[in-house]
Amino acid sequence: MIDHNQHMNRCLELAQKGFGDVAPNPMVGCVILHNGQVIAEGYHRQYGGPHAEVDAINKVLNLSLLEESTLYVNLEPCSHHGKTPPCCDLIIARKIPYVVIACQDPNPLVAGKGISKLIQAGVDVKIGVEEAAALHLNRRFITAMKKKRPYIILKWAQSADGFIDHVRSVGQEGPAGISSEESLILSHTWRTQETAILVGTNTVLADNPQLTARLAKGKNPVRITFDRRDRIPSTAKILDELAPTIVFNAERNYTTEWAEYVQIDFDQDTLYHAMAELQKRNLQSVLVEGGAAILNEFIKSGLWDEARVVNSPKFLGSGIKSPAFQIPVKEEFRSGPDTVNVYFNSVQ
């Protein structure tokens, strides 16, 4: 008896390989089975490149086998012309009789149309295998499609006595340096995996961060900040040439060589307006790295999906209190001497 879950889990493993390279497209993996044997595997490798189904089908040496095969894919095959032709049409043209799908595509251009097209062509379609895992894998894509905003990840490091930083003003000593070297590298790796990174005005003024992924291999995220009162100087590192930057401000819309200044209303639903602007620019996920004021704003508004908290064994004795919420830890792992807790917001 064929284990559908086993082959779908392999699809998810393959799909994960495209993490950080396929956005704003979803991560998709594909496995083709003939008489109980895997004859091809594929995945979506980069945005604009072949989809997983095409990648797998193109690897089948004897195309006649496809007429007796089962195709597994973790997301509904597309039915529209985008940067590539519809995968449904290729599946139908190759006369693949059985297709197993983990979940429906929430993209309005697909949204069940691919499944319907396959069924109408006589393909035997099974839906819902490992659906929860598939939805979790593509949570950034699904959030962008369903909620019309980026997937929001809050991140901070806190001391053993519950502080996020020293109390300080512009010109004083730098940040407390709570995270270990291992956690700093991990944080930079996280930056490569998301399309944008966001900090508040106070963090830019106090720390002058560059917000690049210089400690990890991968691309730099788009940098986001707020400057309601035009306090950020043009010499700030966040405005350098190493990555594009979006600055939300109160008065003007204009661009410089490396930055886009976007006017928003700071008196009403500021964060929602900012997230809507990021969605317009196809920025599918945003890593919010602080400081405490902006993190607490996101938490208070309920406008977040995931939180990653680095817990250090160091004590500060006093300082700025860490953000807090009453949500159970979903995942926990070690990062050098630190412990990382991961939370998911089920009420948004």
Side-chain angles (χ1 to χ4, degrees), residues 11-12 51 104 127 204 265 297:
C11 287
L12 295 172
H51 287 188
Q104 189 180 98
I127 310 164
V204 174
D265 185 355
E297 278 191 55

Side-chain angles (χ1 to χ4, degrees), residues 174-193:
I178 295 171
S179 297
S180 65
E181 182 179 352
E182 293 89 347
S183 293
L184 285 173
I185 294 171
L186 177 62
S187 293
H188 281 230
T189 300
W190 287 340
R191 291 178 181 183
T192 69
Q193 296 169 349

Side-chain angles (χ1 to χ4, degrees), residues 210-273:
Q210 202 162 44
L211 300 183
T212 58
R214 57 195 176 277
L215 299 181
K217 293 182 179 179
K219 65 183 186 302
N220 292 323
V222 176
R223 301 173 293 194
I224 316 293
T225 193
F226 299 86
D227 193 14
R228 181 176 187 175
R229 299 180 181 88
D230 293 324
R231 293 187 291 156
I232 297 176
S234 60
T235 55
K237 291 179 181 178
I238 197 174
L239 299 174
D240 67 20
E241 75 283 359
L242 294 180
T245 301
I246 296 173
V247 181
F248 290 112
N249 71 103
E251 297 181 353
R252 294 172 292 175
N253 289 304
Y254 68 100
T255 59
T256 64
E257 187 176 5
W258 295 102
E260 178 184 8
Y261 289 78
V262 180
Q263 182 183 15
I264 59 171
D265 185 355
F266 280 83
D267 294 321
Q268 187 176 6
D269 295 332
T270 302
L271 295 182
Y272 285 91
H273 291 163

Side-chain angles (χ1 to χ4, degrees), residues 70-180:
T70 300
L71 182 146
Y72 292 83
V73 64
N74 60 286
L75 190 71
E76 175 183 3
C78 63
S79 56
H80 66 292
H81 284 270
K83 287 187 174 294
T84 59
C87 291
C88 280
D89 290 359
L90 180 60
I91 292 170
I92 292 167
R94 293 302 182 192
K95 299 181 181 180
I96 299 173
Y98 307 106
V99 174
V100 181
I101 301 167
C103 64
Q104 189 180 98
D105 190 333
N107 185 342
L109 295 173
V110 186
K113 298 183 183 72
I115 293 169
S116 295
K117 194 171 187 178
L118 292 172
I119 292 173
Q120 289 170 8
V123 178
D124 187 349
V125 179
K126 181 178 179 63
I127 310 164
V129 176
E130 295 293 342
E131 182 177 26
L135 292 171
H136 182 72
L137 176 70
N138 275 312
R139 56 195 183 277
R140 295 162 182 79
F141 172 76
I142 290 166
T143 297
M145 287 295 165
K146 289 188 173 182
K147 299 183 178 179
K148 307 304 178 186
R149 65 163 175 79
Y151 184 83
I152 300 167
I153 303 169
L154 309 182
K155 180 266 172 182
W156 69 87
Q158 62 188 24
S159 65
D161 47 355
F163 297 104
I164 196 172
D165 201 357
H166 300 300
V167 175
R168 56 198 169 92
S169 58
V170 178
Q172 290 186 331
E173 64 178 305
I178 295 171
S179 297
S180 65

